[in-house]
Amino acid sequence: MQKILRKRNPLTDDDEDTSTESLLPISEDDKNIKRRRQDADAANYQLYHVYVPAVLTIVSLWTRLYKISWANYVVWDEAHFGKFASFYLKREFYFDVHPPMGKMLLGFAGLMSFYNGSFSFESGKEFPTEMNYTGMRVFCALFGAFMVPLAYFTGIQLNFTKPACVLLACMVMFDIATLEISRFILLDSMLLFFTAFATYSLVVFRNYQISSPFSREWYIWLFISGLSLGMVTSVKWVGLFAIALVGLNTIEDLWEMFGDLKMHPITYLKHWYWRIVFLIVVPVTFYAFNFYLHFWILNHSGSGDGQMSSLFQANLIGNKLNDNPPNIAYGSMVSIRSSTRGGALLHSHKETFPEGSMQQQVTGYHHADSNNKWIVKRAWNLPEDDEKTPVFIKNGDAVRLVHEQTKKNLHSHKFPGPMTKKENEVSCHGNETNGDETDLWVIEVVDDVTAWRKPTTIKSLTTRFLIRNQKSNCLLRYTGEVLPDWGFKQNEVVCQRRNPDTRDVANMWNIENHWNDKLPHGSSSQYGRRFWKDFADLNVAMWNSNNALTPDPDKEPDGLTSHPWQWPFVSLGLRICGWEDTHVKFFLLGHPILWIGSSISLILFAVFYVVYIIRWQRKCTDWSNLAEWNNFVFAGKIGFMGWFLHYIPFFIMGRVTYLHHYFPALYFALINFAFMIDHIGLKFQPWIHRGFIYTLGGVIFIVYMYFADFAFGIKGPAKAYAGRRWNKDWNIYNN
C-alpha cells in the first residue's frame, strides 16, 4: 500500500502526531467529506460575518433614522452643539468644555448639508425651511447605528456564542435612551461609537497578543487601539475612562510577562516600547492634532476669545488687540489679565462683598465687559500728567488703578479673602479725592515674551508683571476659585500676603486692552503664534470650566439634573424639550429590561467570580483548560471593569451630572449582561440555552416597541402615555 504523508493542520493537530492515521491513504470519500466541511465552514462564516451583521446594521439604521426630521425645532443640547457647528462654518473662535473633534465633525456635517452657519440654534426655535437640519441629524445617527455591528463583532472576539452576539447587538440597538440620543445634533452618538470602537480594538489586539505577538496584525491593531483612544478622548474627556481600561489591561499584560522567565529581556522591552509608542504617543498626538485643526479653522475673533491668552487673541482676524499702543503710560485705560493658564480679567462691579470689608467686589471675569476697564493714575500727591507729553510707566513705579465705571480705587486690606481666607481681600474703595496708601500698587516687571532682557517699561500683551500693594507688601493674585451666587460665579482675586511668590504665574499679570489717544497704535506683525502654549491654555481653561459646573440646588427640582445612584435601575427619565400638547415631545428613558437586567448581571458576575476563585482554591474543576478561565476573566473585565471605570467616578466628581452621563457605562453593562446570559446558558442543554436567548430577545423587542414613541416623538397630551409610567418618578406627565 502506498503511504501518503498527510500535511499537519496546526489548528487541530497536536504538536507531534505519532499515530499511523497520518500515514493512511486519503480516499475519495474522505476528500468529499473534507470538502463538504470546508464548504459548510465557509457558508457558516459568510452567514455570521456578512449576512447577520448586515441585517443588524440595516435594522439599526431604520431605528435611528425613522421620523428623524419630525421635530423641526432645536431640541435640548442642539442649542449648544449646533451653535458650535455654526462657529466652525463661520470660522469664529468659541469656547467649550469639551475637546474639539466631535464639534468639528458636526461642522463637517453642516458643510455636507449645505448649511452656511447663519442659524442661531436658540433652544426650541424652529429651523428655517431652507436649512437641511435633517442631514446633520442623520450624520449623528449613523454613529449610533454603526455601534450595533461593532457590538456584534465585539461579542465574536470575546468568544460569545453566535446567538449571544446577536443578543448583544439587539441590546445595543433597542435601548430607548441611547437610540434617542443618537437622533439629534449632539456629541453623544460619537462618544458612544468611539467608546465601542476602542473596546473592540482592545479585544482584537488581545486575541493577537495571545496567538501571534509582533505579527503584522498585532502591530496594526495595537496602532488602531491607540488611535481609537485618541478619537474617543477628542470627543469628550469621558474617553479618559476608556484609556484607563486599556491602561489597566496593558499593565496587567506587562506584569504577567515580567514573570515569564522564558521571555527574553529584549522581547520584553519591545513589548514596552511598542505599547508606549502606540498607546501613549499615538493618542496624545491625535488629540493634539485636533486642537491644531481647531485653531487653524477658528482664526476669526469670536465669543470665546476671553478664555485665551492676550497674545492668542491678538492673532485672531477681527480682534483689535493688535491695535494696542505698545507702551503703557499714565492716563491709559487698560484691561488686565492674569497670566496663569485660563486666567481671567481683573474685574469689578458695584455689588459689595456680603462679609469682610463689605466694600465693592473685585473678581476675575473671562468675558469682555465694560467693568474690566481700569485707568492707570499717579500716586497720591503727585502732579498731574502733561496732556501733550505722555509719561510711560516704568518698572518699580507706584500707581493707582481706578475702576473706570465706578471711579473707585483698587484697594487691599487685612480682611480675609472671600474664599481663600489666609490671603487678604481685594476690593474697590474711595474715589479721586478719598483714599490712602492701601490704594497704591507697585508694578514689578517679570519678563517680556518678545525681549531677551527684562524691559524697563510695560508693553501691552507681552510684558508680564507683578502688582504689589505698597502698604501691605502683598501680591495681587488670581486664585481661580469660583465665588458663590453673590459673586455671580466669577473667580476670586486676593492679595497674597504669606510668603508672596514672585515666580508663581498666578501672581503675574499682563495688559490685554490698551486705550490711549496720545499714543500711536501697534501692529499684529510683532506677535507670533505658539501652538503648545495655546494648546495648554485651552485645556486648562476647559478643566477649570468643567470644575465650575457644580450642582445648583435652585435647578435640581426642574428634573434636568440627576444623581449617579438614580441611573442603573431607571429611577428617572428626562424631558429633553418643551412639554406642550402641540409640541413633538421626547422623553429620555432607558429600556427598563436592559438597564435593570444589566445592573443585576454586574452583581452576578462579581458573585460568580468570587465563587469560582473559592472553588479553584478547593481544587474543584470548573474549566477544561486555562484558556477558558482566561476568556471568562477577560470578558468579565471588559464588561464589569468598563462599567466600573465609566460609572463610579461620577460619585467622586463635584460637577453637575445628567442622565446621559451613564450611557458609556451602560454599553459595558450590556456587554456584561449578554456575557452572563451566555455563560449561564452554556451550563444547560443547547436548546434551553438558545431558547432562553431567543425569549429574552423577544421580550427586549416587545418592551422596545412599547416605549419606542418616547424616542421617535409623541404629540398630543402626554397623559395619553400614562400606562408607560412604570415608576412614579418618571415625569412623563404632570400630576
Side-chain angles (χ1 to χ4, degrees):
M1 179 188 302
Q2 184 181 5
K3 296 182 179 180
I4 302 174
L5 183 63
R6 180 172 65 89
K7 186 176 180 180
R8 175 179 172 272
N9 185 341
L11 297 178
T12 58
D13 294 351
D14 296 328
D15 289 339
E16 294 186 13
D17 189 356
T18 57
S19 68
T20 58
E21 181 184 354
S22 63
L23 301 178
L24 295 177
I26 300 176
S27 66
E28 287 298 322
D29 290 341
D30 291 337
K31 291 180 180 179
N32 291 334
I33 292 173
K34 184 177 181 180
R35 191 179 300 111
R36 284 196 295 271
R37 285 178 178 172
Q38 290 174 343
D39 292 342
D41 289 342
N44 192 56
Y45 181 89
Q46 195 171 33
L47 172 64
Y48 287 107
H49 286 78
V50 179
Y51 297 134
V52 169
V55 170
L56 290 170
T57 303
I58 291 170
V59 177
S60 179
L61 285 168
W62 183 88
T63 63
R64 268 63 183 175
L65 301 179
Y66 176 64
K67 296 170 69 173
I68 196 169
S69 60
W70 190 21
N72 63 341
Y73 65 92
V74 178
V75 176
W76 199 35
D77 278 353
E78 286 185 327
H80 298 299
F81 298 111
K83 190 180 299 180
F84 297 149
S86 299
F87 288 138
Y88 283 107
L89 296 173
K90 294 185 291 184
R91 305 193 70 174
E92 293 178 1
F93 191 81
Y94 73 93
F95 175 77
D96 180 46
V97 298
H98 301 302
M101 190 182 86
K103 293 164 291 184
M104 285 193 291
L105 289 173
L106 292 179
F108 175 74
L111 183 67
M112 302 304 334
S113 303
F114 304 102
Y115 168 52
N116 61 10
S118 60
F119 183 58
S120 62
F121 275 93
E122 296 175 20
S123 183
K125 186 174 181 179
E126 285 192 11
F127 292 107
T129 54
E130 68 275 8
M131 180 180 172
N132 183 15
Y133 66 92
T134 302
M136 297 180 71
R137 285 181 177 174
V138 167
F139 181 84
C140 296
L142 293 177
F143 285 95
F146 290 126
M147 272 184 68
V148 172
L150 260 182
Y152 173 81
F153 284 115
T154 300
I156 288 179
Q157 293 293 327
L158 287 171
N159 297 308
F160 292 3
T161 62
K162 297 303 187 295
C165 294
V166 175
L167 178 65
L168 173 59
C170 290
M171 288 177 173
V172 174
M173 185 192 308
F174 294 131
D175 176 58
I176 310 298
T178 52
L179 182 160
E180 181 176 342
I181 206 76
S182 68
R183 292 165 51 86
F184 298 104
I185 305 170
L186 305 171
L187 298 183
D188 299 271
S189 62
M190 302 177 200
L191 174 67
L192 290 170
F193 173 82
F194 288 120
T195 299
F197 183 48
T199 306
Y200 174 72
S201 302
L202 168 62
V203 175
V204 175
F205 169 73
R206 180 258 183 180
N207 290 337
Y208 281 113
Q209 170 64 25
I210 293 173
S211 62
S212 53
F214 301 116
S215 64
R216 183 181 64 176
E217 292 81 5
W218 184 90
Y219 284 109
I220 290 173
W221 282 102
L222 183 58
F223 169 75
I224 292 175
S225 184
L227 187 64
S228 67
L229 294 178
M231 290 175 175
V232 68
T233 311
S234 297
V235 174
K236 284 188 178 182
W237 278 350
V238 173
L240 293 171
F241 302 145
I243 289 179
L245 178 64
V246 174
L248 289 174
N249 182 76
T250 301
I251 291 170
E252 183 183 13
D253 279 353
L254 293 171
W255 177 252
E256 288 181 356
M257 286 186 277
F258 182 72
D260 185 358
L261 299 179
K262 296 180 180 179
M263 181 174 289
H264 195 280
I266 299 299
T267 303
Y268 182 64
L269 290 176
K270 284 176 62 180
H271 278 286
W272 269 95
Y273 174 78
W274 288 115
R275 281 167 171 79
I276 290 171
V277 170
F278 289 130
L279 298 183
I280 297 179
V281 176
V282 167
V284 169
T285 302
F286 184 85
Y287 180 79
F289 177 69
N290 278 278
F291 282 86
Y292 182 85
L293 288 178
H294 178 72
F295 294 142
W296 178 74
I297 295 171
L298 304 180
N299 62 349
H300 287 67
S301 179
S303 60
D305 294 7
Q307 294 287 345
M308 299 299 291
S309 70
S310 304
L311 276 177
F312 177 88
Q313 296 180 53
N315 284 283
L316 293 174
I317 299 171
N319 193 293
K320 300 301 182 182
L321 291 184
N322 49 34
D323 292 335
N324 284 353
N327 294 292
I328 312 302
Y330 287 102
S332 291
M333 185 165 63
V334 298
S335 63
I336 306 172
R337 178 177 290 277
S338 169
S339 296
T340 189
R341 299 196 191 282
L345 292 158
L346 188 65
H347 177 93
S348 186
H349 38 240
K350 64 181 181 180
E351 284 74 16
T352 59
F353 288 111
E355 56 184 23
S357 69
M358 297 188 180
Q359 294 175 359
Q360 183 173 303
Q361 296 176 18
V362 171
T363 65
Y365 189 53
H366 283 97
H367 306 285
D369 191 273
S370 59
N371 281 318
N372 300 336
K373 296 178 180 179
W374 302 83
I375 301 173
V376 185
K377 294 204 171 186
R378 288 185 179 273
W380 300 110
N381 302 322
L382 291 180
E384 293 293 330
D385 303 330
D386 186 340
E387 292 185 2
K388 295 182 179 180
T389 307
V391 177
F392 295 120
I393 298 171
K394 295 182 175 61
N395 182 30
D397 282 1
V399 303
R400 285 187 297 128
L401 294 172
V402 180
H403 189 239
E404 195 271 338
Q405 289 290 307
T406 61
K407 310 305 179 186
K408 294 187 176 183
N409 304 304
L410 186 69
H411 178 88
S412 185
H413 36 224
K414 292 187 178 180
F415 288 100
M419 306 296 289
T420 311
K421 300 298 183 182
K422 65 181 181 179
E423 311 297 359
N424 288 351
E425 178 192 276
V426 177
S427 64
C428 273
H429 181 64
N431 51 43
E432 189 64 36
T433 59
N434 177 22
D436 55 32
E437 195 177 1
T438 56
D439 301 334
L440 300 183
W441 300 85
V442 178
I443 306 300
E444 300 177 5
V445 174
V446 177
D447 58 24
D448 191 292
V449 298
T450 61
W452 289 100
R453 295 181 179 180
K454 182 189 296 186
T456 57
T457 58
I458 310 298
K459 294 183 178 180
S460 66
L461 301 176
T462 61
T463 302
R464 295 193 302 173
F465 53 87
L466 307 171
I467 306 178
R468 187 185 298 272
N469 189 269
Q470 189 176 65
K471 174 70 173 178
S472 61
N473 201 43
C474 60
L475 291 176
L476 191 69
R477 179 180 181 84
Y478 172 76
T479 69
E481 294 289 335
V482 179
L483 297 172
D485 288 340
W486 55 256
F488 307 100
K489 299 293 184 179
Q490 295 174 11
N491 299 114
E492 182 189 42
V493 173
V494 297
C495 204
Q496 187 182 38
R497 60 186 176 86
R498 295 190 177 185
N499 302 316
D501 187 355
T502 59
R503 295 171 298 178
D504 189 344
V505 71
N507 293 331
M508 299 178 190
W509 302 82
N510 65 267
I511 301 299
E512 182 159 289
N513 290 99
H514 179 205
W515 300 271
N516 193 322
D517 294 336
K518 302 176 186 178
L519 300 174
H521 293 291
S523 168
S524 61
S525 60
Q526 58 189 311
Y527 310 125
R529 295 291 291 267
R530 297 174 294 171
F531 168 73
W532 289 110
K533 183 182 184 304
D534 297 338
F535 171 77
D537 285 348
L538 182 52
N539 277 270
V540 169
M542 289 160 53
W543 175 266
N544 292 337
S545 295
N546 253 310
N547 290 339
L549 297 174
T550 53
D552 187 343
D554 295 333
K555 292 183 179 180
E556 289 198 17
D558 66 4
L560 294 177
T561 60
S562 58
H563 301 286
W565 58 265
Q566 296 175 300
W567 301 337
F569 291 94
V570 209
S571 299
L572 79 168
L574 177 64
R575 299 178 183 180
I576 63 172
C577 59
W579 219 242
E580 296 83 5
D581 289 350
T582 56
H583 252 66
V584 179
K585 298 178 285 296
F586 301 91
F587 190 68
L588 193 65
L589 181 72
H591 190 299
I593 303 298
L594 294 178
W595 286 47
I596 296 172
S598 62
S599 300
I600 294 172
S601 76
L602 295 163
I603 301 171
L604 278 179
F605 171 77
V607 171
F608 270 63
Y609 182 80
V610 171
V611 168
Y612 283 140
I613 292 294
I614 294 173
R615 285 176 57 81
W616 171 74
Q617 291 178 335
R618 294 184 177 184
K619 309 300 182 184
C620 298
T621 305
D622 293 310
W623 310 93
S624 59
N625 54 60
L626 183 61
E628 285 189 7
W629 165 249
N630 288 337
N631 286 336
F632 171 83
V633 172
F634 182 73
K637 282 191 299 187
I638 293 296
F640 185 88
M641 284 303 299
W643 169 85
F644 182 91
L645 292 170
H646 284 78
Y647 175 59
I648 298 302
F650 284 102
F651 285 96
I652 305 169
M653 293 180 187
R655 64 156 292 164
V656 64
T657 51
Y658 300 94
L659 180 62
H660 65 276
H661 288 149
Y662 185 62
F663 294 171
L666 173 69
Y667 179 74
F668 292 98
L670 294 178
I671 291 176
N672 190 80
F673 191 13
F675 168 61
M676 290 307 300
I677 292 295
D678 198 35
H679 178 70
I680 295 172
L682 286 170
K683 298 181 180 297
F684 298 92
Q685 293 293 327
W687 66 271
I688 297 177
H689 176 212
R690 289 194 298 270
F692 184 67
I693 287 178
Y694 298 153
T695 301
L696 178 60
V699 171
I700 290 171
F701 178 73
I702 291 170
V703 174
Y704 154 77
M705 291 298 294
Y706 190 59
F707 287 98
D709 285 347
F710 288 161
F712 298 141
I714 59 177
K715 201 167 186 179
K719 199 157 187 177
Y721 293 83
R724 291 162 176 78
R725 189 176 182 178
W726 290 3
N727 186 315
K728 62 181 179 62
D729 293 326
W730 296 356
N731 59 334
I732 297 170
Y733 61 90
N734 298 321
N735 291 321

